[in-house]
């Protein structure tokens, strides 16, 4: 009997194949007390397991194929960082020393402590790194158990018989395990857990493979060798489809493959609308190693480099100036002279600050970290940490064009404090004689208070970047991480669209640069509307650049602009925009123009 399973669409397209189930890799954990005389021996066993796993990670990274996505190597680095973090191994050693837990029990106990901290994080990307932590602990438990649990996953096509396409179904998949797969084996992924910024989603997008995550009980409902369809556009998994449905999706799959081929031909084509408007399509990246991916996608630079990766999982051991400078410099040099916009650390009240305990830090914001000490609020509360980052950024600007982006500003007071710190850093660097570059300073518009007081921001900043993810969340009072209300998260809400429109219009009128760096920028459904609003700079995941560029090439901004007032005045903007598009007859990319870019 055919069944349908719904999840989150994280990588577009259609995959059809036989299911290969990888059961949950959770290892049974023995619990017992260690004799006090053997505590040191047990800690040594834990340390030896860490060293063994570190060697495994090194071997995996060393043997990476040349064509492997950069995201996989970057995620391995994250796992190595978590493995070496004293908040995991050192704290687990404390459980052994103080409670006499065996090593496996100590690891599991510390995982529970850290998992609660990850669950409280506001930032979706950081929150979903909990899965990475769990997978590192799982590898450690496998080593400690001398093979107890699942063996390492190493599927090859011959293991499953024939050349029929295969799709992978699992509770979750670690990046290290994914590296053991041949890229040609699996044509799609389905996982029970995960979100749009989980590692499985990141890898699926980087490989341009259809994927659905967060499908809850998929691995329990799907049986080995079931015929399944993955609809990466709708977030739908169809198990044992009828012949009619199967044929329909096979047709859609062929159409999708043709579309991908067309998009690939547009990769290095200038993004210019039919009426001659040049559009800037930029990439969002997380690590310096993502720069080649951004270049390969045909982006015109980096519109958002999230610096949080340097601070993630560090506890109070925050990165110093030299470490940050080296990372920012690699990103800048990796873009070969194209501009790089680096956001100062946007981390929440869930991360401890220097000199403060976790309980002290979260005293005011434990109930809702989204409204607590996060982003620029955190930076301004720790000015020495903030100045270290600013110094590293100004020094990196000596190696290429850099823009500094300040997140979550909401008042004139915060703006003044930020500018004072910037001026102080510039004086320090000038006196030290260290080479620095000229930077543009920008503000993220992601708090309604900022969108409603734009003249203050336009007076002090060179450019604005609209963070639509948080702007939507704060405008609609919706916690994106809360499943009970997540369905109310609506980028088409009239209030959201009006704030975005007013921000774009006022920035353009003041001669300031303005871009959108949230999910709306990479969603082709919003491309023409944002163009109609006057937006000329978009920043998105590198794999979304080609699809958005296709929309840009087909757009005539003069014809589109006429529908904006109707849409903004409507109670149902999405419906009004669709009707306006039909009435206006969206122009198609002519064969001559398509041929000219081949």
């Amino acid at each position: 009997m055919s069944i349908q399973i719904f999840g989150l669409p994280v990588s577009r397209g259609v995959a059809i194949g036989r299911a290969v189930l990888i059961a949950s890799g959770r290892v049974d954990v023995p619990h017992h007390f260690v004799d006090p005389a053997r505590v040191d021996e047990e800690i040594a066993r834990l340390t030896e397991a860490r060293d063994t796993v570190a060697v495994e990670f090194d071997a995996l990274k060393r043997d990476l194929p040349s064509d492997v996505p950069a995201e996989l190597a970057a995620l391995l680095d994250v796992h190595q960082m978590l493995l070496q973090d004293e908040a995991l191994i050192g704290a687990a050693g404390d459980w052994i020393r103080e409670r006499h837990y065996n090593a496996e029990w100590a690891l599991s106990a510390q995982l529970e402590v850290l998992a609660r901290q990850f669950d409280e994080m506001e930032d979706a990307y950081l929150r979903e790194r909990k899965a990475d932590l769990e997978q590192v602990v799982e590898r450690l438990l496998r080593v400690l158990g001398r093979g107890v649990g699942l063996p390492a996953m190493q599927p090859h096509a011959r293991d499953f018989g024939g050349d029929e396409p295969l799709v992978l179904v699992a509770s979750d998949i670690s990046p290290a395990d994914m590296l053991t797969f041949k890229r040609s084996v699996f044509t799609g992924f389905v996982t029970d857990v995960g979100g749009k910024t989980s590692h499985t989603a990141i890898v699926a997008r980087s490989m341009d493979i259809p994927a659905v995550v967060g499908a809850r009980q998929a691995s329990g409902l799907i049986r080995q060798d079931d015929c399944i369809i993955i609809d990466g556009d709708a977030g739908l998994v169809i198990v044992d489809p009828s012949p009619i449905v199967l044929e329909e999706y096979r047709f859609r799959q062929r159409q999708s493959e043709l579309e991908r081929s067309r998009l690939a031909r547009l990769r290095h084509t200038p993004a210019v609308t039919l009426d001659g408007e040049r559009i800037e399509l930029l990439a969002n990246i997380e690590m310096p190693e993502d720069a080649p991916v951004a270049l390969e996608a045909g982006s015109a630079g980096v519109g958002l480099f999230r610096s949080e990766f340097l601070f993630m999982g560090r506890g109070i051991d925050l990165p110093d100036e030299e470490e940050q400078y080296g990372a920012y410099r690699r990103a800048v040099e990796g873009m070969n002279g194209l501009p790089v916009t680096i956001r100062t650390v946007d981390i929440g009240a869930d991360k401890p600050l220097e000199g403060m305990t976790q309980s002290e830090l979260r005293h005011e914001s434990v109930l809702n970290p989204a409204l607590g000490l996060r982003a620029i609020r955190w930076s301004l509360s720790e000015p020495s940490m903030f100045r270290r980052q600013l110094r590293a950024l100004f020094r990196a600007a000596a190696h290429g064009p850099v823009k500094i982006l300040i997140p979550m500003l909401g008042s004139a007071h915060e703006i003044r404090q930020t500018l004072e710190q910037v001026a102080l850093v510039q004086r320090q660097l000038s006196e030290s004689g260290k080479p620095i570059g000229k930077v543009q300073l920008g503000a993220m518009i992601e708090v309604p208070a900022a969108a409603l007081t734009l003249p203050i921001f336009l007076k002090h900043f060179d450019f604005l970047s609209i963070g639509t993810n948080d702007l939507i969340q704060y405008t609609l009072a919706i916690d994106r991480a809360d499943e009970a209300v997540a369905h109310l998260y609506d980028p088409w809400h009239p209030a959201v669209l009006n704030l975005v429109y007013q921000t774009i219009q006022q920035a353009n009128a003041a001669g300031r640069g303005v871009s959108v760096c949230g999910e709306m920028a990479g969603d082709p459904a919003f491309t023409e509307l944002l163009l109609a609003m006057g937006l000329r700079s978009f920043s998105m995941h590198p794999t979304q650049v080609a699809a958005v560029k296709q929309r840009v090439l087909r757009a005539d901004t003069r014809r589109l602009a006429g529908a904006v007032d109707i849409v903004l005045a409507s109670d149902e903007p999405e419906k009004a925009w669709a009707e306006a598009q039909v009435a206006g007859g969206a122009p198609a990319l002519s064969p001559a123009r398509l041929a000219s870019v081949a």
Side-chain angles (χ1 to χ4, degrees):
M1 181 180 70
S2 179
I3 60 173
Q4 295 184 351
I5 303 170
F6 292 91
L8 297 174
V10 294
S11 188
R12 62 192 176 85
V14 173
I16 302 172
R18 294 289 175 182
V20 174
L21 265 68
I22 302 296
S24 173
R26 298 290 180 262
V27 178
D28 290 335
V29 178
H31 295 71
H32 60 82
F33 293 100
V34 176
D35 188 283
R38 300 186 59 188
V39 164
D40 289 342
E41 180 181 339
E42 193 70 5
I43 291 175
R45 194 166 75 91
L46 176 65
T47 303
E48 182 179 353
R50 179 196 63 191
D51 294 342
T52 299
V53 174
V55 169
E56 292 176 359
F57 283 149
D58 287 339
L60 281 169
K61 192 168 183 180
R62 184 178 61 249
D63 297 332
L64 284 175
S66 59
D67 60 341
V68 76
E71 283 84 353
L72 282 173
L75 286 166
L76 269 183
D77 288 338
V78 171
H79 280 211
Q80 277 280 32
M81 181 177 66
L82 291 169
L83 179 67
Q84 301 300 333
D85 195 340
E86 282 301 299
L88 177 61
I89 299 298
D94 291 341
W95 287 107
I96 299 173
R97 191 176 293 106
E98 296 171 9
R99 303 286 184 88
H100 297 169
Y101 288 176
N102 66 306
E104 293 92 336
W105 188 359
L107 268 176
S108 299
Q110 185 58 18
L111 173 61
E112 290 298 318
V113 172
L114 296 175
R116 286 195 296 271
Q117 295 177 11
F118 274 87
D119 286 337
E120 293 169 357
M121 292 181 180
E122 165 58 21
D123 187 277
Y125 179 83
L126 295 177
R127 187 170 59 249
E128 289 178 3
R129 299 286 70 78
K130 182 179 80 168
D132 296 297
L133 177 67
E134 291 172 340
Q135 289 157 0
V136 168
V137 171
E138 185 176 312
R139 277 188 167 258
L140 286 164
L141 291 172
R142 285 176 176 172
V143 171
L144 287 167
R146 294 187 177 87
V148 175
L150 289 176
M153 297 184 288
Q154 296 180 333
H156 296 276
R158 63 177 179 272
D159 296 331
F160 303 103
D163 298 321
E164 191 170 3
L166 304 171
V167 294
L168 183 63
V169 181
S171 176
D172 199 7
I173 315 163
S174 75
D177 283 336
M178 290 184 75
L179 284 173
T180 65
F181 300 162
K182 289 183 178 292
R183 287 183 63 180
S184 59
V185 171
F186 296 109
T187 61
F189 299 104
V190 180
T191 62
D192 296 342
V193 300
K196 290 192 174 183
T197 53
S198 65
H199 59 257
T200 308
I202 292 170
V203 171
R205 283 194 295 266
S206 72
M207 298 172 69
D208 206 14
I209 292 177
V212 173
V213 303
R216 298 180 180 273
Q217 301 300 318
S219 64
L221 296 173
I222 299 172
R223 296 168 299 180
Q224 192 80 20
D225 212 38
D226 274 348
C227 176
I228 69 172
I229 296 170
I230 299 174
D231 186 338
D233 298 299
L236 173 65
V237 180
I238 304 175
V239 184
D240 286 333
S242 67
I244 295 176
V245 171
L246 185 60
E247 188 54 40
E248 177 186 345
Y249 271 96
R250 281 177 175 157
F251 174 76
R252 286 183 53 183
Q253 189 177 44
R254 291 191 295 269
Q255 293 297 106
S256 178
E257 290 169 355
L258 287 173
E259 181 67 14
R260 288 169 192 246
S261 177
R262 293 192 189 102
L263 290 177
R265 296 167 65 186
L266 302 176
R267 183 173 298 156
H268 300 297
T269 304
V272 181
T273 64
L274 291 173
D275 56 322
E277 290 285 333
R278 185 170 291 274
I279 309 302
E280 185 179 50
L281 300 183
L282 306 169
N284 295 345
I285 66 173
E286 279 81 30
M287 294 186 174
E289 292 73 23
D290 295 338
V293 180
L295 288 174
E296 178 61 23
S299 67
V302 171
L304 176 63
F305 173 28
R306 301 179 176 96
S307 62
E308 290 79 51
F309 85 98
L310 282 169
F311 296 76
M312 188 174 69
R314 300 288 292 261
I316 62 172
D317 180 28
L318 300 179
D320 62 19
E321 180 181 332
E322 291 304 316
E323 181 182 350
Q324 293 189 62
Y325 163 65
Y328 304 145
R329 177 178 176 175
R330 293 198 307 274
V332 171
E333 292 180 336
M335 289 305 294
N336 298 338
L338 294 175
V340 178
T341 300
I342 304 176
R343 183 178 67 189
T344 60
V345 61
D346 185 3
I347 222 164
D350 36 59
K351 301 293 285 184
L353 303 177
E354 288 182 294
M356 295 181 68
T357 67
Q358 187 76 4
S359 60
E360 290 171 336
L361 174 62
R362 301 206 323 263
H363 177 70
E364 295 293 336
S365 55
V366 67
L367 294 179
N368 194 334
L371 303 179
L373 194 65
R374 55 164 295 199
I376 190 59
R377 299 172 181 175
W378 179 37
S379 296
L380 292 175
S381 74
E382 287 292 318
S384 61
M385 178 278 296
F386 189 33
R387 288 194 293 271
R388 279 199 300 273
Q389 181 169 36
L390 290 173
R391 284 194 296 269
L393 289 168
F394 273 97
R395 291 173 58 194
H399 304 280
V402 168
K403 300 179 179 181
I404 298 177
L405 184 59
I406 310 297
M408 207 181 170
L409 286 165
S411 69
H413 177 64
E414 289 175 335
I415 292 174
R416 285 193 296 271
Q417 285 185 297
T418 299
L419 295 179
E420 287 170 2
Q421 293 298 318
V422 170
L424 177 58
V425 163
Q426 289 176 306
R427 288 197 301 272
Q428 291 175 341
L429 290 171
S430 177
E431 293 169 359
S432 71
K434 292 180 179 179
I436 64 173
K438 184 178 180 181
V439 305
Q440 292 186 32
L441 192 63
M444 287 198 74
I445 305 301
E446 50 190 341
V447 179
L452 295 170
T453 57
L454 276 178
I456 302 173
F457 289 78
L458 294 170
K459 184 189 306 181
H460 296 288
F461 292 98
D462 301 306
F463 69 98
L464 305 177
S465 184
I466 307 173
T468 53
N469 298 353
D470 271 339
L471 183 62
I472 296 166
Q473 171 172 253
Y474 291 130
T475 301
L476 303 182
I478 299 299
D479 184 350
R480 290 178 288 149
D482 187 343
E483 292 183 1
V485 294
H487 64 285
L488 299 174
Y489 182 87
D490 181 15
W492 284 101
H493 193 286
V496 172
L497 295 182
N498 275 280
L499 289 176
V500 171
Y501 176 67
Q502 292 299 327
T503 301
I504 295 169
Q505 288 293 299
Q506 291 186 54
N508 287 342
R512 297 287 191 268
V514 58
S515 68
V516 170
C517 63
E519 288 294 318
M520 285 177 68
D523 187 344
F526 288 96
T527 302
E528 288 93 341
L529 178 58
L530 292 172
L531 289 171
M533 290 180 172
L535 187 70
R536 298 295 180 264
S537 180
F538 299 67
S539 190
M540 66 206 74
H541 191 280
T543 58
Q544 298 166 321
V545 170
V548 171
K549 183 181 291 185
Q550 183 184 58
R551 293 291 190 116
V552 168
L553 293 170
R554 292 175 172 175
D556 185 324
T557 61
R558 292 171 301 187
R559 290 172 55 185
L560 292 170
V564 171
D565 289 341
I566 298 173
V567 172
L568 295 178
S570 173
D571 294 337
E572 299 180 283
E574 185 173 9
K575 181 179 179 181
W577 179 247
E579 292 173 349
Q581 290 288 83
V582 172
L589 191 60
S590 70
R593 195 168 192 219
L594 182 59
S596 70
V597 301

